[in-house]
Amino acid sequence: MIPNKMKAITYTKYGPPEVLQLTETDKPIPKDNEVLVRIKATAVNSGDIRLRKADPFAVRFMFGLFKPKKNILGVVYSGEIEEVGRDVTHFKVGDPVFGSMGMKFGTYAEYICISEDGVLAIKPKNITHTEAASIPFGGTTALSFIRKGKLKASDKILIYGASGAVGTAAIQIAKYLGAHVTGVCSTTNIEMVRAIGSDRVIDYTKEDFTKETGIYDVVLDTIGKSPFSGSLKSLKKKGYYVRVVHMSAGPILKGIWSSMISSKKVIGGSIKEKAEDLLFLNKMIEAGKLKAVIDRTYPLGQIAEAHTYVERGHKKGNVVITLD
């Protein structure tokens, strides 16, 4: 490979997975407060899919109306620090690290530059880079929204979409916090959801969880497909209906109205990832309380195939891209 160049997956137009192309581009140079990470693994997440497709259309107003401003997708990473800026004090060359770039994207590449104050932490020793790359997206998202629902020990939580990246992390985090967990998934995922800690599993193709009223302290919808009114009915008084996905105008207005006329709260919105969240997840991993759930792995050159698989909507946990 040409010096100061790196392999990356780039795209110059919105569209199907085939717009993603393996190319060579400039290797980034760390600023004084940044570290240069050689990426060992990344993952395909829902944010990557939405941005690649520009779906919803509002994506274009943030990331480019006619073509993408950010040409390298990818949010999460795990790898090794290869170079540090002169002002960096918390990390050194050779440190194994993992984390998230959030809305900056850029991890579908061999290298990435990250501020030492970014969402970055030392990788736990008891997991691989492949496993570590599967943790940040689902882990930090689940942790943030569980906190929004004010989940406490002995509370009952229902997790809708329990088999995805956020759902599998949410089950394990909720159990770690001492809650009783009910997971909702399809028939094929029941055993996996039960194996990672769900106390009860509901097959949505055979059973409607909304038939039970006043049961849960928190209903956490990780995919935006739970029935709105039914989810509220299943909550106890002062319960929280937490929707991870960005809500459209209709659900937002319903949520405001429901929160006004009852003691039940509808929570949505976005999150701000923090390094402290990674440190919380680190403790869980090191204690054996949070395990990576990986459906498939693909090499970097097969990222279009990985996107195709994820877009079908049936993955279990995470789909990881390896760069070794």
Side-chain angles (χ1 to χ4, degrees):
M1 189 170 64
I2 301 172
N4 300 319
K5 294 286 185 177
M6 68 174 181
K7 292 180 181 178
I9 299 295
T10 61
Y11 78 128
T12 56
K13 60 183 178 180
Y14 300 116
E18 289 72 28
V19 301
L20 301 171
Q21 297 292 318
L22 181 63
T23 61
E24 277 197 350
T25 187
D26 292 334
K27 180 179 174 181
I29 299 171
K31 298 176 182 177
D32 290 347
N33 67 331
E34 291 181 336
V35 299
L36 176 69
V37 175
R38 172 67 185 264
I39 296 176
K40 302 287 188 179
T42 181
V44 178
N45 297 312
S46 57
D48 302 319
I49 302 294
R50 287 195 295 270
L51 192 50
R52 189 205 78 227
K53 297 167 61 178
D55 181 20
F57 189 85
V59 163
R60 294 174 180 261
F61 296 115
M62 295 178 63
F63 295 101
L65 187 58
F66 301 108
K67 62 181 181 179
K69 294 178 182 178
K70 295 182 181 293
N71 300 118
I72 302 177
L73 293 173
V75 174
V76 296
Y77 59 88
S78 184
E80 189 173 288
I81 292 178
E82 190 166 288
E83 187 178 343
V84 298
R86 64 181 183 182
D87 294 337
V88 172
T89 58
H90 297 115
F91 299 95
K92 64 182 186 301
V93 172
D95 280 346
V97 293
F98 76 127
S100 172
M101 295 297 293
M103 300 298 278
K104 294 179 181 179
F105 292 91
T107 65
Y108 288 180
E110 289 184 305
Y111 291 92
I112 193 80
C113 285
I114 308 138
S115 167
E116 74 164 337
D117 297 324
V119 185
L120 170 70
I122 297 293
K123 179 184 74 67
K125 294 180 180 179
N126 57 335
I127 60 172
T128 65
H129 284 294
T130 299
E131 291 169 322
S134 75
I135 297 293
F137 175 76
T140 59
T141 302
L143 179 60
S144 295
F145 280 97
I146 283 174
R147 285 172 171 165
K148 286 188 177 189
K150 302 187 186 304
L151 188 72
K152 306 182 299 296
S154 77
D155 278 356
K156 290 186 176 181
I157 181 173
L158 179 136
I159 299 170
Y160 196 92
S163 60
V166 178
T168 53
I171 290 170
Q172 297 177 81
I173 293 168
K175 287 300 297 179
Y176 183 73
L177 296 174
H180 181 280
V181 177
T182 297
V184 180
C185 63
S186 64
T187 309
T188 56
N189 294 326
I190 288 174
E191 292 307 315
M192 183 270 288
V193 168
R194 184 176 288 119
I196 60 173
S198 191
D199 299 288
R200 180 188 177 196
V201 184
I202 294 176
D203 181 349
Y204 71 82
T205 68
K206 299 177 180 179
E207 186 179 353
D208 182 0
F209 79 89
T210 67
K211 298 296 183 182
E212 299 177 313
T213 61
I215 299 295
Y216 303 102
D217 299 281
V218 179
V219 170
L220 176 66
D221 179 357
T222 71
I223 55 175
K225 294 183 178 180
S226 60
F228 197 97
S229 297
S231 297
L232 284 173
K233 289 177 183 177
S234 71
L235 284 173
K236 298 177 183 177
K237 291 181 179 179
K238 298 184 179 181
Y240 287 82
Y241 180 28
V242 185
R243 293 170 62 95
V244 171
V245 296
H246 290 288
M247 294 190 287
S248 59
I252 289 173
L253 292 174
K254 285 182 182 179
I256 293 171
W257 178 247
S258 298
S259 298
M260 288 173 60
I261 65 172
S262 76
S263 64
K264 300 173 184 180
K265 302 298 181 185
V266 181
I267 305 293
S270 58
I271 65 168
K272 184 176 181 180
E273 295 176 298
K274 299 175 290 186
E276 289 84 354
D277 294 339
L278 284 182
L279 297 178
F280 180 95
L281 299 175
N282 264 2
K283 290 181 180 179
M284 288 186 62
I285 294 166
E286 290 169 351
K289 301 297 183 181
L290 177 61
K291 298 182 184 299
V293 179
I294 298 172
D295 188 336
R296 297 185 180 186
T297 61
Y298 293 83
L300 186 65
Q302 292 181 14
I303 203 154
E305 290 91 330
H307 268 243
T308 298
Y309 179 67
V310 171
E311 203 166 341
R312 290 175 188 153
H314 301 300
K315 70 179 176 70
K316 300 177 182 179
N318 299 268
V319 169
V320 176
I321 306 300
T322 57
L323 282 84
D324 281 344

